[in-house]
Amino acid sequence: MPGRSDSSGAVHSSVSWFRRWSLVAAALLLLAVGRALWSRRQASQTELGESQLTRHSSDNPLSGVAISPDGKYLLFGDITGVHITLLRTGEVRDIERQSEPEERQINWSFQWFPDGSQFLVNEFGGDGHSVIWQGSVLAGKLKKVRDNAIAWTLSPDGSSIVLTKATRINGPMSELWLMDTKGNDLRKLDDAGEANAFGFVQWSPDSDRIAYLRYAGKSGQFQISMETRELKGGPPVTLLSDNALRSLYWLQDGRLLYVLGESDRTGETCNYWVARLNKTEGTFSAAPKQLTHNTGFCVDTTSATSDSKKLVFLKRSFEVSVYVAGFEPGTKRISPPRPLTSTEGQEWPVAWTPDSREVVFASNRGPKMGFFRYPFTGGEVTPIVTGIESAGLGNLIGRVTPDGAWLLYEPFPAGYVPGTSMDLKKVAMAGGTPQVILRDALFDTPSCALAPSRLCAIATVAKDQLVFWSVDPVAGRGPELGRFRVDWKSDYGWALSPDGTRIAIQRRDAPEIYVLSIETHTMETITVKGWTNGISLDWTADGSGFFICTLQPRAVLLHVDLEGNATPLWEPKGSNTTWALPSPDGQHIAMPSAAVNSNAWMIKLF
């Protein structure tokens, strides 16, 4: 999940001369206290003995890492697979799976057995499928244990596993289970319900309790809480409720580590906090303390040695920039993409102005998210609206109305559940205060045609159907345009054609694109030849084809014609997502390039 972004500025005020000396005295006192606190913080950071273990570029970021209990080995996963390295020599060995899946985006996480001879591997596919594998230090191949589940933690004696299961592919991990290491003797511990989930489950060193994060679906987003419970039964105990909770890890010496996130200009900063529990009640025995004081990156996938003196984790940072390129429809080629914006934060394109001169993009360059306009040939950035609460990339997309007067958008919350009511908003392109057009079970983003058409459309969820409606920024909801039956085991996207006569629907785990005629309600099916795993869908400006991003396993931007013939246009280096928005005159496209920097680090003398 990409993180939210935020920043804050300092406000300076002048003071009158007669207060100057009292302020100087106070400032000297504050300076002395500040120096003492800074020295203490610096000493604390130095005592942690931080060191970098891997040096992967953004072309191949790490997605999982774990140190063995004895501190000899490091397991890590990247886009090429799973690897194990002997830390003393740096020797790296690849570990194979029993059967290789099709090319797709894969993430990894690992759990070591207490004796350090074996380990569990969680494979998360970009298609929503998950697999638990088992391997050993000596063997070079993984053995499958279970599908559609995540193994989070092993019992201190290495005989049992706590896992979470989903009731459907792409569904939340809503069930908590206990099983043996062979994948048998399953016993259900809890069921959070279809809209809820469990994560980061940890077994206490004394074997009596587990701790975990609970994600409760409420008002279209997850409410996150940290809970403990006795394995023999009884109600859970809530330790902390905070939507800034990111992960959890229970050290063998009894200390409980958790990560809190904090929005910043680069996306999100994350820090470790540490606490001890009252063994009898399962509550905090004292107030938690902040362990690290990071800025500019997040930490996750925590593991530690059995003596709790070496902590290994991933440092991750995430950047998104806007790129533009010339497009030649006849040759189906683009010119070399060039960056349009240059910041250390997150910015992605959402639309063009009708005259094809400016790109409209979302950005966290202010205190919160906002929409801005920028000439693609260069010039001044013009704010449209700022101060939007948003979960970041993919959760804030706007569309410009055909007359160029309004920007329509839906601020999707983090953990959005299809069918949840939310606002469709409008803001004048010249700037102003956003206004709510309507509230409904909105799906995906609004979509607008190009002039001379005046049509904009939205999609709503009605059980197993997407219902498409016309919408006007002033008059509100208009007539129904059509319906499409969906299978919620899969993910979907849709887009209105430039002439406003057709709606394209993409099932993102299949090669088919369905084109619905608004006038006749007939359906045409286009099969993309040779490519799967599409994650974006946009029409070309003339309506003769589509721009699609597919994961293979990294992002590849395709041009697809109406016969399904696909031509690669761009493979943004190291990016795991992109899309292409054509200018109304069809001569240019605007694209995001998202890069993840992720490497393993260690804290010693912990």
Side-chain angles (χ1 to χ4, degrees):
M1 195 185 300
R4 297 182 299 274
S5 299
D6 218 347
S7 64
S8 60
V11 178
H12 301 275
S13 60
S14 60
V15 294
S16 56
W17 281 99
F18 73 88
R19 297 180 56 205
R20 177 167 52 167
W21 296 113
S22 60
L23 287 171
V24 168
L28 289 172
L29 176 61
L30 288 173
L31 181 60
V33 173
R35 281 178 175 171
L37 291 175
W38 174 254
S39 298
R40 186 179 301 173
R41 173 177 162 182
Q42 289 295 91
S44 175
Q45 291 292 82
T46 302
E47 289 173 5
L48 293 176
E50 214 173 74
S51 60
Q52 187 170 351
L53 300 180
T54 64
R55 297 187 181 277
H56 282 220
S57 71
S58 60
D59 294 354
N60 187 24
L62 268 63
S63 59
V65 67
I67 192 170
S68 61
D70 58 11
K72 293 181 179 179
Y73 296 97
L74 186 74
L75 270 171
F76 64 92
D78 54 28
I79 65 173
T80 66
V82 177
H83 319 277
I84 186 169
T85 181
L86 181 62
L87 287 172
R88 180 174 57 84
T89 65
E91 177 189 356
V92 178
R93 178 164 51 91
D94 299 336
I95 298 177
E96 301 176 3
R97 298 188 286 294
Q98 277 179 322
S99 58
E100 296 292 334
E102 297 178 359
E103 281 196 327
R104 58 195 175 116
Q105 186 182 29
I106 296 175
N107 294 311
W108 310 95
S109 70
F110 310 101
Q111 304 295 330
W112 283 90
F113 281 67
D115 64 3
S117 64
Q118 300 180 81
F119 49 83
L120 297 173
V121 177
N122 292 303
E123 174 187 320
F124 308 88
D127 56 1
H129 188 58
S130 58
V131 184
I132 302 173
W133 304 86
Q134 185 171 338
S136 72
V137 172
L138 298 178
K141 189 169 287 189
L142 299 175
K143 179 181 178 181
K144 184 181 287 189
V145 177
R146 180 165 291 275
D147 282 301
N148 202 32
I150 299 174
W152 288 104
T153 187
L154 286 122
S155 59
D157 63 5
S159 64
S160 300
I161 301 169
V162 175
L163 67 148
T164 52
K165 291 172 56 180
T167 57
R168 57 182 173 83
I169 295 177
N170 280 328
M173 291 286 167
S174 58
E175 297 180 348
L176 195 61
W177 291 77
L178 185 69
M179 71 176 184
D180 66 24
T181 56
K182 304 297 182 183
N184 303 318
D185 296 333
L186 266 77
R187 176 165 65 93
K188 195 172 185 178
L189 299 176
D190 201 354
D191 190 335
E194 178 62 22
N196 306 324
F198 296 106
F200 297 97
V201 188
Q202 294 292 301
W203 207 311
S204 68
D206 59 12
S207 301
D208 294 334
R209 285 183 175 272
I210 56 173
Y212 51 85
L213 299 185
R214 181 189 290 267
Y215 304 84
K218 184 178 181 181
S219 301
Q221 56 185 321
F222 285 120
Q223 303 295 314
I224 308 174
S225 59
M226 185 196 308
E227 297 180 352
T228 66
R229 66 186 306 153
E230 291 185 327
L231 282 166
K232 64 183 180 182
V237 176
T238 300
L239 296 173
L240 181 66
S241 293
D242 193 333
N243 278 9
L245 282 164
R246 296 294 174 262
S247 63
L248 184 66
Y249 188 80
W250 213 325
L251 291 163
Q252 288 301 302
D253 66 6
R255 289 177 293 172
L256 192 66
L257 285 177
Y258 61 92
V259 174
L260 291 179
E262 180 183 355
S263 299
D264 63 19
R265 288 290 299 274
T266 60
E268 191 171 46
T269 284
C270 297
N271 278 289
Y272 282 112
W273 290 69
V274 63
R276 288 191 179 274
L277 297 190
N278 180 309
K279 292 183 179 181
T280 304
E281 300 178 358
T283 58
F284 288 140
S285 59
K289 295 181 179 180
Q290 187 170 349
L291 179 67
T292 60
H293 299 270
N294 304 317
T295 57
F297 61 87
C298 263
V299 295
D300 60 10
T301 63
T302 305
S303 63
T305 52
S306 56
D307 61 7
S308 302
K309 291 185 177 180
K310 294 180 180 179
L311 185 74
V312 170
F313 52 92
L314 291 182
K315 279 187 180 182
R316 284 182 174 168
S317 60
F318 183 66
E319 295 181 2
V320 193
S321 300
V322 180
Y323 280 69
V324 293
F327 177 60
E328 304 175 20
T331 61
K332 298 180 177 63
R333 294 186 302 181
I334 64 173
S335 64
R338 63 174 178 84
L340 182 72
T341 62
S342 179
T343 68
E344 293 183 351
Q346 299 180 13
E347 299 186 336
W348 57 92
V350 301
W352 289 77
T353 54
D355 60 8
S356 298
R357 293 181 178 178
E358 293 181 297
V359 175
V360 179
F361 63 95
S363 173
N364 65 345
R365 60 177 58 198
K368 297 181 180 180
M369 295 299 300
F371 289 110
F372 301 82
R373 294 186 288 124
Y374 186 69
F376 85 94
T377 56
E380 295 293 327
V381 172
T382 303
I384 299 173
V385 60
T386 58
I388 300 173
E389 292 284 354
S390 173
L393 182 67
N395 296 75
L396 188 64
I397 303 292
R399 296 293 187 240
V400 178
T401 55
D403 60 5
W406 301 94
L407 180 71
L408 309 183
Y409 68 97
E410 301 156 358
F412 281 84
Y416 163 78
V417 178
T420 302
S421 292
M422 56 182 300
D423 293 333
L424 172 68
K425 295 187 175 184
K426 67 176 181 181
V427 63
M429 284 290 289
T433 302
Q435 302 172 51
V436 176
I437 300 174
L438 56 85
R439 184 175 180 83
D440 207 334
L442 301 172
F443 180 82
D444 208 355
T445 63
S447 189
C448 290
L450 299 177
S453 173
R454 301 177 59 186
L455 181 62
C456 286
I458 56 171
T460 61
V461 176
K463 294 185 178 179
D464 61 348
Q465 289 186 322
L466 291 178
V467 184
F468 302 101
W469 307 85
S470 66
V471 65
D472 182 272
V474 177
R477 189 198 307 268
E480 180 180 319
L481 302 176
R483 293 180 175 235
F484 181 81
R485 190 174 298 276
V486 296
D487 178 356
W488 289 118
K489 293 180 180 179
S490 300
D491 192 15
Y492 295 85
W494 69 280
L496 180 66
S497 65
D499 61 3
T501 64
R502 296 162 290 171
I503 295 172
I505 304 105
Q506 175 192 53
R507 177 170 168 168
R508 290 174 172 161
D509 59 354
E512 286 78 28
I513 300 172
Y514 305 95
V515 181
L516 172 66
S517 170
I518 294 175
E519 182 179 354
T520 65
H521 296 286
T522 57
M523 189 82 69
E524 177 187 359
T525 302
I526 300 171
T527 301
V528 180
K529 299 173 184 177
W531 299 83
T532 56
N533 301 329
I535 61 170
S536 71
L537 176 69
D538 292 281
W539 288 86
T540 58
D542 60 4
S544 64
F546 308 95
F547 296 111
I548 293 176
C549 175
T550 179
L551 296 178
Q552 301 295 326
R554 311 305 290 175
V556 179
L557 181 64
L558 304 175
H559 174 276
V560 179
D561 65 25
L562 297 181
E563 284 71 49
N565 300 306
T567 304
L569 298 176
W570 189 38
E571 296 185 39
K573 196 173 183 180
S575 182
N576 57 8
T577 188
T578 192
W579 59 79
L581 298 174
S583 58
D585 63 11
Q587 296 182 16
H588 296 87
I589 56 175
M591 308 156 291
S593 178
V596 177
N597 296 295
S598 179
N599 274 287
W601 287 70
M602 177 190 291
I603 293 176
K604 294 182 180 180
L605 301 178
F606 182 77

